Amino acid sequence: QVHVVESGGGLVQPGGSLRLSCAASGFTLDDYAIGWYRQAPGKERELVATITYGGSTDYVDSVEGRFTISRDNAKNTVSLQMNSLKPEDSAVYYCNAKRFWVGRRYDYWGQGTQVTVSS
């Protein structure tokens, strides 16, 4: 069975750091393009960071230079290191694994992890 599970969220003060982790079971994350999304109350879900099969990364402007997405293939995880956190970073963060293979699309989501940045 396929599962994606996010962890590492919590409450942190402005300027602090958190490291989110996306773990998969039933498939290998290294075969997938991974995206971290976030959704704040009353707002649309937003793509925050991506990492391709080849390791290329991209970030939304609002987190560029503060967030880093990376793979740990040995652990079958993808992390999102978040530094210099701001209150506007508060949201539920979701991990998405996506792949097109032999004419079929594979698209898996986790249940999300809450990040709250507040003093």
PDB file of all heavy atoms in Angstrom, residues 76-112:
ATOM      1  N   ASN A  76      14.713   7.211   1.980  1.00  0.00           N
ATOM      2  CA  ASN A  76      13.472   7.366   1.206  1.00  0.00           C
ATOM      3  C   ASN A  76      12.638   8.536   1.737  1.00  0.00           C
ATOM      4  O   ASN A  76      11.418   8.415   1.967  1.00  0.00           O
ATOM      5  CB  ASN A  76      12.642   6.087   1.204  1.00  0.00           C
ATOM      6  CG  ASN A  76      11.655   6.042   0.043  1.00  0.00           C
ATOM      7  OD1 ASN A  76      11.863   6.672  -1.004  1.00  0.00           O
ATOM      8  ND2 ASN A  76      10.567   5.313   0.219  1.00  0.00           N
ATOM      9  N   THR A  77      13.316   9.655   1.969  1.00  0.00           N
ATOM     10  CA  THR A  77      12.640  10.846   2.478  1.00  0.00           C
ATOM     11  C   THR A  77      13.055  12.076   1.677  1.00  0.00           C
ATOM     12  O   THR A  77      14.095  12.086   1.008  1.00  0.00           O
ATOM     13  CB  THR A  77      12.966  11.102   3.962  1.00  0.00           C
ATOM     14  OG1 THR A  77      14.384  11.292   4.100  1.00  0.00           O
ATOM     15  CG2 THR A  77      12.515   9.950   4.843  1.00  0.00           C
ATOM     16  N   VAL A  78      12.217  13.093   1.759  1.00  0.00           N
ATOM     17  CA  VAL A  78      12.531  14.415   1.231  1.00  0.00           C
ATOM     18  C   VAL A  78      12.283  15.414   2.352  1.00  0.00           C
ATOM     19  O   VAL A  78      11.237  15.352   3.009  1.00  0.00           O
ATOM     20  CB  VAL A  78      11.681  14.761   0.001  1.00  0.00           C
ATOM     21  CG1 VAL A  78      11.908  16.207  -0.413  1.00  0.00           C
ATOM     22  CG2 VAL A  78      12.017  13.832  -1.157  1.00  0.00           C
ATOM     23  N   SER A  79      13.232  16.294   2.562  1.00  0.00           N
ATOM     24  CA  SER A  79      13.119  17.250   3.659  1.00  0.00           C
ATOM     25  C   SER A  79      12.919  18.660   3.133  1.00  0.00           C
ATOM     26  O   SER A  79      13.297  18.978   2.005  1.00  0.00           O
ATOM     27  CB  SER A  79      14.376  17.213   4.521  1.00  0.00           C
ATOM     28  OG  SER A  79      14.531  15.956   5.132  1.00  0.00           O
ATOM     29  N   LEU A  80      12.333  19.478   3.986  1.00  0.00           N
ATOM     30  CA  LEU A  80      12.229  20.910   3.718  1.00  0.00           C
ATOM     31  C   LEU A  80      12.776  21.629   4.951  1.00  0.00           C
ATOM     32  O   LEU A  80      12.121  21.638   6.000  1.00  0.00           O
ATOM     33  CB  LEU A  80      10.784  21.329   3.454  1.00  0.00           C
ATOM     34  CG  LEU A  80      10.599  22.795   3.076  1.00  0.00           C
ATOM     35  CD1 LEU A  80      11.209  23.070   1.696  1.00  0.00           C
ATOM     36  CD2 LEU A  80       9.114  23.176   3.069  1.00  0.00           C
ATOM     37  N   GLN A  81      13.970  22.173   4.813  1.00  0.00           N
ATOM     38  CA  GLN A  81      14.578  22.941   5.894  1.00  0.00           C
ATOM     39  C   GLN A  81      14.080  24.369   5.793  1.00  0.00           C
ATOM     40  O   GLN A  81      14.253  25.016   4.748  1.00  0.00           O
ATOM     41  CB  GLN A  81      16.107  22.906   5.798  1.00  0.00           C
ATOM     42  CG  GLN A  81      16.813  23.745   6.842  1.00  0.00           C
ATOM     43  CD  GLN A  81      16.633  23.195   8.247  1.00  0.00           C
ATOM     44  OE1 GLN A  81      16.707  21.989   8.457  1.00  0.00           O
ATOM     45  NE2 GLN A  81      16.401  24.088   9.202  1.00  0.00           N
ATOM     46  N   MET A  82      13.473  24.860   6.851  1.00  0.00           N
ATOM     47  CA  MET A  82      12.874  26.188   6.839  1.00  0.00           C
ATOM     48  C   MET A  82      13.562  27.050   7.890  1.00  0.00           C
ATOM     49  O   MET A  82      13.488  26.747   9.087  1.00  0.00           O
ATOM     50  CB  MET A  82      11.373  26.094   7.125  1.00  0.00           C
ATOM     51  CG  MET A  82      10.634  25.132   6.204  1.00  0.00           C
ATOM     52  SD  MET A  82       8.848  25.190   6.401  1.00  0.00           S
ATOM     53  CE  MET A  82       8.687  24.616   8.071  1.00  0.00           C
ATOM     54  N   ASN A  83      14.236  28.077   7.449  1.00  0.00           N
ATOM     55  CA  ASN A  83      14.944  28.997   8.338  1.00  0.00           C
ATOM     56  C   ASN A  83      14.322  30.388   8.270  1.00  0.00           C
ATOM     57  O   ASN A  83      13.560  30.698   7.346  1.00  0.00           O
ATOM     58  CB  ASN A  83      16.418  29.074   7.939  1.00  0.00           C
ATOM     59  CG  ASN A  83      17.125  27.747   8.046  1.00  0.00           C
ATOM     60  OD1 ASN A  83      16.814  26.913   8.898  1.00  0.00           O
ATOM     61  ND2 ASN A  83      18.109  27.535   7.174  1.00  0.00           N
ATOM     62  N   SER A  84      14.659  31.197   9.244  1.00  0.00           N
ATOM     63  CA  SER A  84      14.172  32.585   9.296  1.00  0.00           C
ATOM     64  C   SER A  84      12.667  32.641   9.082  1.00  0.00           C
ATOM     65  O   SER A  84      12.163  33.432   8.270  1.00  0.00           O
ATOM     66  CB  SER A  84      14.890  33.439   8.234  1.00  0.00           C
ATOM     67  OG  SER A  84      16.286  33.402   8.417  1.00  0.00           O
ATOM     68  N   LEU A  85      11.964  31.833   9.813  1.00  0.00           N
ATOM     69  CA  LEU A  85      10.518  31.707   9.617  1.00  0.00           C
ATOM     70  C   LEU A  85       9.793  32.993   9.993  1.00  0.00           C
ATOM     71  O   LEU A  85      10.180  33.714  10.932  1.00  0.00           O
ATOM     72  CB  LEU A  85       9.984  30.530  10.410  1.00  0.00           C
ATOM     73  CG  LEU A  85      10.251  29.166   9.760  1.00  0.00           C
ATOM     74  CD1 LEU A  85      10.118  28.035  10.767  1.00  0.00           C
ATOM     75  CD2 LEU A  85       9.323  28.957   8.575  1.00  0.00           C
ATOM     76  N   LYS A  86       8.727  33.238   9.255  1.00  0.00           N
ATOM     77  CA  LYS A  86       7.903  34.430   9.450  1.00  0.00           C
ATOM     78  C   LYS A  86       6.469  34.001   9.765  1.00  0.00           C
ATOM     79  O   LYS A  86       6.058  32.899   9.384  1.00  0.00           O
ATOM     80  CB  LYS A  86       7.903  35.279   8.177  1.00  0.00           C
ATOM     81  CG  LYS A  86       9.279  35.670   7.677  1.00  0.00           C
ATOM     82  CD  LYS A  86       9.186  36.395   6.341  1.00  0.00           C
ATOM     83  CE  LYS A  86      10.564  36.768   5.825  1.00  0.00           C
ATOM     84  NZ  LYS A  86      10.492  37.470   4.510  1.00  0.00           N
ATOM     85  N   PRO A  87       5.708  34.861  10.417  1.00  0.00           N
ATOM     86  CA  PRO A  87       4.306  34.504  10.700  1.00  0.00           C
ATOM     87  C   PRO A  87       3.531  34.120   9.435  1.00  0.00           C
ATOM     88  O   PRO A  87       2.669  33.231   9.488  1.00  0.00           O
ATOM     89  CB  PRO A  87       3.754  35.778  11.336  1.00  0.00           C
ATOM     90  CG  PRO A  87       4.943  36.392  11.998  1.00  0.00           C
ATOM     91  CD  PRO A  87       6.093  36.113  11.075  1.00  0.00           C
ATOM     92  N   GLU A  88       3.863  34.740   8.308  1.00  0.00           N
ATOM     93  CA  GLU A  88       3.141  34.423   7.075  1.00  0.00           C
ATOM     94  C   GLU A  88       3.501  33.048   6.510  1.00  0.00           C
ATOM     95  O   GLU A  88       2.894  32.600   5.537  1.00  0.00           O
ATOM     96  CB  GLU A  88       3.380  35.507   6.013  1.00  0.00           C
ATOM     97  CG  GLU A  88       4.830  35.844   5.758  1.00  0.00           C
ATOM     98  CD  GLU A  88       5.296  37.056   6.545  1.00  0.00           C
ATOM     99  OE1 GLU A  88       4.936  37.188   7.738  1.00  0.00           O
ATOM    100  OE2 GLU A  88       6.052  37.873   5.952  1.00  0.00           O
ATOM    101  N   ASP A  89       4.486  32.375   7.101  1.00  0.00           N
ATOM    102  CA  ASP A  89       4.789  30.999   6.714  1.00  0.00           C
ATOM    103  C   ASP A  89       3.854  29.993   7.390  1.00  0.00           C
ATOM    104  O   ASP A  89       3.892  28.800   7.062  1.00  0.00           O
ATOM    105  CB  ASP A  89       6.242  30.638   7.071  1.00  0.00           C
ATOM    106  CG  ASP A  89       7.257  31.432   6.280  1.00  0.00           C
ATOM    107  OD1 ASP A  89       7.052  31.629   5.065  1.00  0.00           O
ATOM    108  OD2 ASP A  89       8.263  31.867   6.888  1.00  0.00           O
ATOM    109  N   SER A  90       3.057  30.461   8.322  1.00  0.00           N
ATOM    110  CA  SER A  90       2.141  29.567   9.029  1.00  0.00           C
ATOM    111  C   SER A  90       1.131  28.962   8.060  1.00  0.00           C
ATOM    112  O   SER A  90       0.472  29.689   7.300  1.00  0.00           O
ATOM    113  CB  SER A  90       1.401  30.329  10.128  1.00  0.00           C
ATOM    114  OG  SER A  90       2.294  30.823  11.093  1.00  0.00           O
ATOM    115  N   ALA A  91       1.009  27.659   8.097  1.00  0.00           N
ATOM    116  CA  ALA A  91       0.119  26.943   7.176  1.00  0.00           C
ATOM    117  C   ALA A  91       0.220  25.457   7.463  1.00  0.00           C
ATOM    118  O   ALA A  91       1.089  25.021   8.229  1.00  0.00           O
ATOM    119  CB  ALA A  91       0.512  27.212   5.728  1.00  0.00           C
ATOM    120  N   VAL A  92      -0.659  24.700   6.834  1.00  0.00           N
ATOM    121  CA  VAL A  92      -0.483  23.253   6.783  1.00  0.00           C
ATOM    122  C   VAL A  92       0.391  22.961   5.563  1.00  0.00           C
ATOM    123  O   VAL A  92       0.094  23.438   4.465  1.00  0.00           O
ATOM    124  CB  VAL A  92      -1.820  22.508   6.675  1.00  0.00           C
ATOM    125  CG1 VAL A  92      -1.594  21.007   6.586  1.00  0.00           C
ATOM    126  CG2 VAL A  92      -2.707  22.838   7.873  1.00  0.00           C
ATOM    127  N   TYR A  93       1.454  22.208   5.776  1.00  0.00           N
ATOM    128  CA  TYR A  93       2.401  21.884   4.713  1.00  0.00           C
ATOM    129  C   TYR A  93       2.162  20.447   4.249  1.00  0.00           C
ATOM    130  O   TYR A  93       2.070  19.523   5.074  1.00  0.00           O
ATOM    131  CB  TYR A  93       3.835  22.061   5.210  1.00  0.00           C
ATOM    132  CG  TYR A  93       4.256  23.506   5.258  1.00  0.00           C
ATOM    133  CD1 TYR A  93       3.722  24.378   6.209  1.00  0.00           C
ATOM    134  CD2 TYR A  93       5.171  24.017   4.344  1.00  0.00           C
ATOM    135  CE1 TYR A  93       4.096  25.719   6.240  1.00  0.00           C
ATOM    136  CE2 TYR A  93       5.551  25.347   4.373  1.00  0.00           C
ATOM    137  CZ  TYR A  93       5.007  26.190   5.318  1.00  0.00           C
ATOM    138  OH  TYR A  93       5.375  27.525   5.346  1.00  0.00           O
ATOM    139  N   TYR A  94       2.090  20.295   2.935  1.00  0.00           N
ATOM    140  CA  TYR A  94       1.811  19.009   2.327  1.00  0.00           C
ATOM    141  C   TYR A  94       2.956  18.593   1.401  1.00  0.00           C
ATOM    142  O   TYR A  94       3.525  19.427   0.697  1.00  0.00           O
ATOM    143  CB  TYR A  94       0.534  19.070   1.490  1.00  0.00           C
ATOM    144  CG  TYR A  94      -0.713  19.415   2.258  1.00  0.00           C
ATOM    145  CD1 TYR A  94      -1.108  20.733   2.415  1.00  0.00           C
ATOM    146  CD2 TYR A  94      -1.510  18.415   2.807  1.00  0.00           C
ATOM    147  CE1 TYR A  94      -2.262  21.058   3.109  1.00  0.00           C
ATOM    148  CE2 TYR A  94      -2.664  18.724   3.498  1.00  0.00           C
ATOM    149  CZ  TYR A  94      -3.029  20.054   3.647  1.00  0.00           C
ATOM    150  OH  TYR A  94      -4.166  20.354   4.344  1.00  0.00           O
ATOM    151  N   CYS A  95       3.204  17.300   1.372  1.00  0.00           N
ATOM    152  CA  CYS A  95       4.175  16.725   0.447  1.00  0.00           C
ATOM    153  C   CYS A  95       3.413  16.044  -0.687  1.00  0.00           C
ATOM    154  O   CYS A  95       2.429  15.322  -0.451  1.00  0.00           O
ATOM    155  CB  CYS A  95       5.045  15.716   1.188  1.00  0.00           C
ATOM    156  SG  CYS A  95       6.241  14.863   0.148  1.00  0.00           S
ATOM    157  N   ASN A  96       3.884  16.287  -1.917  1.00  0.00           N
ATOM    158  CA  ASN A  96       3.291  15.667  -3.090  1.00  0.00           C
ATOM    159  C   ASN A  96       4.370  14.959  -3.897  1.00  0.00           C
ATOM    160  O   ASN A  96       5.422  15.540  -4.157  1.00  0.00           O
ATOM    161  CB  ASN A  96       2.601  16.733  -3.945  1.00  0.00           C
ATOM    162  CG  ASN A  96       2.136  16.189  -5.273  1.00  0.00           C
ATOM    163  OD1 ASN A  96       2.663  16.537  -6.318  1.00  0.00           O
ATOM    164  ND2 ASN A  96       1.133  15.336  -5.245  1.00  0.00           N
ATOM    165  N   ALA A  97       4.097  13.722  -4.271  1.00  0.00           N
ATOM    166  CA  ALA A  97       5.001  12.950  -5.125  1.00  0.00           C
ATOM    167  C   ALA A  97       4.297  12.687  -6.449  1.00  0.00           C
ATOM    168  O   ALA A  97       3.172  12.175  -6.467  1.00  0.00           O
ATOM    169  CB  ALA A  97       5.368  11.642  -4.444  1.00  0.00           C
ATOM    170  N   LYS A  98       4.976  13.045  -7.556  1.00  0.00           N
ATOM    171  CA  LYS A  98       4.331  12.983  -8.852  1.00  0.00           C
ATOM    172  C   LYS A  98       5.265  12.322  -9.878  1.00  0.00           C
ATOM    173  O   LYS A  98       6.467  12.574  -9.909  1.00  0.00           O
ATOM    174  CB  LYS A  98       3.986  14.396  -9.310  1.00  0.00           C
ATOM    175  CG  LYS A  98       3.051  14.496 -10.464  1.00  0.00           C
ATOM    176  CD  LYS A  98       2.637  15.950 -10.663  1.00  0.00           C
ATOM    177  CE  LYS A  98       1.958  16.521  -9.453  1.00  0.00           C
ATOM    178  NZ  LYS A  98       1.548  17.933  -9.627  1.00  0.00           N
ATOM    179  N   ARG A  99       4.637  11.514 -10.750  1.00  0.00           N
ATOM    180  CA  ARG A  99       5.431  10.829 -11.764  1.00  0.00           C
ATOM    181  C   ARG A  99       4.544  10.455 -12.938  1.00  0.00           C
ATOM    182  O   ARG A  99       3.378  10.117 -12.757  1.00  0.00           O
ATOM    183  CB  ARG A  99       6.016   9.550 -11.152  1.00  0.00           C
ATOM    184  CG  ARG A  99       6.881   8.735 -12.077  1.00  0.00           C
ATOM    185  CD  ARG A  99       7.228   7.402 -11.419  1.00  0.00           C
ATOM    186  NE  ARG A  99       8.255   6.681 -12.157  1.00  0.00           N
ATOM    187  CZ  ARG A  99       8.566   5.404 -11.945  1.00  0.00           C
ATOM    188  NH1 ARG A  99       7.938   4.712 -11.018  1.00  0.00           N
ATOM    189  NH2 ARG A  99       9.507   4.827 -12.642  1.00  0.00           N
ATOM    190  N   PHE A 100       5.081  10.536 -14.139  1.00  0.00           N
ATOM    191  CA  PHE A 100       4.438  10.012 -15.332  1.00  0.00           C
ATOM    192  C   PHE A 100       5.265   8.827 -15.790  1.00  0.00           C
ATOM    193  O   PHE A 100       6.477   8.959 -15.994  1.00  0.00           O
ATOM    194  CB  PHE A 100       4.364  11.070 -16.425  1.00  0.00           C
ATOM    195  CG  PHE A 100       3.447  12.209 -16.095  1.00  0.00           C
ATOM    196  CD1 PHE A 100       3.934  13.337 -15.452  1.00  0.00           C
ATOM    197  CD2 PHE A 100       2.100  12.147 -16.390  1.00  0.00           C
ATOM    198  CE1 PHE A 100       3.094  14.391 -15.122  1.00  0.00           C
ATOM    199  CE2 PHE A 100       1.256  13.201 -16.068  1.00  0.00           C
ATOM    200  CZ  PHE A 100       1.757  14.320 -15.434  1.00  0.00           C
ATOM    201  N   TRP A 101       4.621   7.679 -15.953  1.00  0.00           N
ATOM    202  CA  TRP A 101       5.373   6.462 -16.278  1.00  0.00           C
ATOM    203  C   TRP A 101       4.504   5.552 -17.117  1.00  0.00           C
ATOM    204  O   TRP A 101       3.410   5.181 -16.702  1.00  0.00           O
ATOM    205  CB  TRP A 101       5.817   5.761 -14.985  1.00  0.00           C
ATOM    206  CG  TRP A 101       6.621   4.529 -15.211  1.00  0.00           C
ATOM    207  CD1 TRP A 101       6.249   3.236 -15.014  1.00  0.00           C
ATOM    208  CD2 TRP A 101       7.969   4.478 -15.701  1.00  0.00           C
ATOM    209  NE1 TRP A 101       7.258   2.377 -15.329  1.00  0.00           N
ATOM    210  CE2 TRP A 101       8.331   3.101 -15.758  1.00  0.00           C
ATOM    211  CE3 TRP A 101       8.899   5.438 -16.091  1.00  0.00           C
ATOM    212  CZ2 TRP A 101       9.590   2.697 -16.183  1.00  0.00           C
ATOM    213  CZ3 TRP A 101      10.147   5.013 -16.505  1.00  0.00           C
ATOM    214  CH2 TRP A 101      10.477   3.668 -16.555  1.00  0.00           C
ATOM    215  N   VAL A 102       5.005   5.225 -18.283  1.00  0.00           N
ATOM    216  CA  VAL A 102       4.329   4.318 -19.210  1.00  0.00           C
ATOM    217  C   VAL A 102       2.869   4.752 -19.394  1.00  0.00           C
ATOM    218  O   VAL A 102       1.928   3.952 -19.244  1.00  0.00           O
ATOM    219  CB  VAL A 102       4.402   2.840 -18.726  1.00  0.00           C
ATOM    220  CG1 VAL A 102       4.021   1.896 -19.858  1.00  0.00           C
ATOM    221  CG2 VAL A 102       5.790   2.510 -18.226  1.00  0.00           C
ATOM    222  N   GLY A 103       2.708   6.045 -19.712  1.00  0.00           N
ATOM    223  CA  GLY A 103       1.390   6.559 -20.043  1.00  0.00           C
ATOM    224  C   GLY A 103       0.448   6.737 -18.871  1.00  0.00           C
ATOM    225  O   GLY A 103      -0.745   7.001 -19.050  1.00  0.00           O
ATOM    226  N   ARG A 104       0.968   6.602 -17.668  1.00  0.00           N
ATOM    227  CA  ARG A 104       0.098   6.729 -16.502  1.00  0.00           C
ATOM    228  C   ARG A 104       0.676   7.775 -15.556  1.00  0.00           C
ATOM    229  O   ARG A 104       1.884   7.888 -15.385  1.00  0.00           O
ATOM    230  CB  ARG A 104      -0.032   5.376 -15.797  1.00  0.00           C
ATOM    231  CG  ARG A 104      -0.938   5.423 -14.585  1.00  0.00           C
ATOM    232  CD  ARG A 104      -1.027   4.076 -13.887  1.00  0.00           C
ATOM    233  NE  ARG A 104      -1.671   4.198 -12.593  1.00  0.00           N
ATOM    234  CZ  ARG A 104      -1.842   3.186 -11.758  1.00  0.00           C
ATOM    235  NH1 ARG A 104      -1.426   1.985 -12.068  1.00  0.00           N
ATOM    236  NH2 ARG A 104      -2.434   3.388 -10.592  1.00  0.00           N
ATOM    237  N   ARG A 105      -0.231   8.500 -14.928  1.00  0.00           N
ATOM    238  CA  ARG A 105       0.172   9.508 -13.954  1.00  0.00           C
ATOM    239  C   ARG A 105       0.010   8.945 -12.550  1.00  0.00           C
ATOM    240  O   ARG A 105      -1.032   8.379 -12.198  1.00  0.00           O
ATOM    241  CB  ARG A 105      -0.717  10.749 -14.124  1.00  0.00           C
ATOM    242  CG  ARG A 105      -0.480  11.831 -13.085  1.00  0.00           C
ATOM    243  CD  ARG A 105      -1.487  12.953 -13.269  1.00  0.00           C
ATOM    244  NE  ARG A 105      -1.437  13.905 -12.195  1.00  0.00           N
ATOM    245  CZ  ARG A 105      -1.253  15.208 -12.364  1.00  0.00           C
ATOM    246  NH1 ARG A 105      -1.086  15.694 -13.582  1.00  0.00           N
ATOM    247  NH2 ARG A 105      -1.240  16.026 -11.335  1.00  0.00           N
ATOM    248  N   TYR A 106       1.049   9.126 -11.748  1.00  0.00           N
ATOM    249  CA  TYR A 106       1.032   8.736 -10.331  1.00  0.00           C
ATOM    250  C   TYR A 106       1.148  10.021  -9.507  1.00  0.00           C
ATOM    251  O   TYR A 106       2.059  10.826  -9.741  1.00  0.00           O
ATOM    252  CB  TYR A 106       2.194   7.802 -10.004  1.00  0.00           C
ATOM    253  CG  TYR A 106       2.159   6.495 -10.757  1.00  0.00           C
ATOM    254  CD1 TYR A 106       2.629   6.414 -12.069  1.00  0.00           C
ATOM    255  CD2 TYR A 106       1.644   5.346 -10.170  1.00  0.00           C
ATOM    256  CE1 TYR A 106       2.589   5.227 -12.758  1.00  0.00           C
ATOM    257  CE2 TYR A 106       1.606   4.150 -10.860  1.00  0.00           C
ATOM    258  CZ  TYR A 106       2.079   4.096 -12.154  1.00  0.00           C
ATOM    259  OH  TYR A 106       2.036   2.916 -12.834  1.00  0.00           O
ATOM    260  N   ASP A 107       0.254  10.188  -8.554  1.00  0.00           N
ATOM    261  CA  ASP A 107       0.159  11.456  -7.839  1.00  0.00           C
ATOM    262  C   ASP A 107      -0.277  11.153  -6.407  1.00  0.00           C
ATOM    263  O   ASP A 107      -1.426  10.774  -6.180  1.00  0.00           O
ATOM    264  CB  ASP A 107      -0.856  12.354  -8.551  1.00  0.00           C
ATOM    265  CG  ASP A 107      -0.767  13.808  -8.129  1.00  0.00           C
ATOM    266  OD1 ASP A 107      -0.010  14.123  -7.190  1.00  0.00           O
ATOM    267  OD2 ASP A 107      -1.468  14.640  -8.737  1.00  0.00           O
ATOM    268  N   TYR A 108       0.637  11.307  -5.462  1.00  0.00           N
ATOM    269  CA  TYR A 108       0.356  10.946  -4.073  1.00  0.00           C
ATOM    270  C   TYR A 108       0.535  12.149  -3.155  1.00  0.00           C
ATOM    271  O   TYR A 108       1.492  12.917  -3.309  1.00  0.00           O
ATOM    272  CB  TYR A 108       1.292   9.820  -3.610  1.00  0.00           C
ATOM    273  CG  TYR A 108       1.243   8.592  -4.469  1.00  0.00           C
ATOM    274  CD1 TYR A 108       2.398   8.103  -5.078  1.00  0.00           C
ATOM    275  CD2 TYR A 108       0.052   7.905  -4.671  1.00  0.00           C
ATOM    276  CE1 TYR A 108       2.361   6.967  -5.865  1.00  0.00           C
ATOM    277  CE2 TYR A 108       0.009   6.771  -5.457  1.00  0.00           C
ATOM    278  CZ  TYR A 108       1.162   6.305  -6.054  1.00  0.00           C
ATOM    279  OH  TYR A 108       1.114   5.182  -6.828  1.00  0.00           O
ATOM    280  N   TRP A 109      -0.374  12.255  -2.178  1.00  0.00           N
ATOM    281  CA  TRP A 109      -0.342  13.359  -1.208  1.00  0.00           C
ATOM    282  C   TRP A 109      -0.294  12.795   0.204  1.00  0.00           C
ATOM    283  O   TRP A 109      -0.896  11.754   0.496  1.00  0.00           O
ATOM    284  CB  TRP A 109      -1.594  14.214  -1.338  1.00  0.00           C
ATOM    285  CG  TRP A 109      -1.655  15.043  -2.570  1.00  0.00           C
ATOM    286  CD1 TRP A 109      -2.159  14.683  -3.778  1.00  0.00           C
ATOM    287  CD2 TRP A 109      -1.205  16.401  -2.714  1.00  0.00           C
ATOM    288  NE1 TRP A 109      -2.049  15.728  -4.667  1.00  0.00           N
ATOM    289  CE2 TRP A 109      -1.472  16.790  -4.039  1.00  0.00           C
ATOM    290  CE3 TRP A 109      -0.614  17.322  -1.843  1.00  0.00           C
ATOM    291  CZ2 TRP A 109      -1.160  18.066  -4.530  1.00  0.00           C
ATOM    292  CZ3 TRP A 109      -0.305  18.586  -2.330  1.00  0.00           C
ATOM    293  CH2 TRP A 109      -0.579  18.947  -3.665  1.00  0.00           C
ATOM    294  N   GLY A 110       0.363  13.527   1.073  1.00  0.00           N
ATOM    295  CA  GLY A 110       0.307  13.225   2.485  1.00  0.00           C
ATOM    296  C   GLY A 110      -0.851  13.953   3.140  1.00  0.00           C
ATOM    297  O   GLY A 110      -1.587  14.702   2.496  1.00  0.00           O
ATOM    298  N   GLN A 111      -0.981  13.767   4.468  1.00  0.00           N
ATOM    299  CA  GLN A 111      -2.106  14.339   5.198  1.00  0.00           C
ATOM    300  C   GLN A 111      -1.797  15.753   5.700  1.00  0.00           C
ATOM    301  O   GLN A 111      -2.696  16.460   6.160  1.00  0.00           O
ATOM    302  CB  GLN A 111      -2.464  13.438   6.384  1.00  0.00           C
ATOM    303  CG  GLN A 111      -1.600  13.619   7.637  1.00  0.00           C
ATOM    304  CD  GLN A 111      -0.162  13.154   7.464  1.00  0.00           C
ATOM    305  OE1 GLN A 111       0.162  12.414   6.531  1.00  0.00           O
ATOM    306  NE2 GLN A 111       0.704  13.587   8.363  1.00  0.00           N
ATOM    307  N   GLY A 112      -0.546  16.150   5.623  1.00  0.00           N
ATOM    308  CA  GLY A 112      -0.152  17.500   6.013  1.00  0.00           C
ATOM    309  C   GLY A 112       0.391  17.575   7.427  1.00  0.00           C
ATOM    310  O   GLY A 112       0.080  16.742   8.278  1.00  0.00           O
TER     311      GLY A 112
END
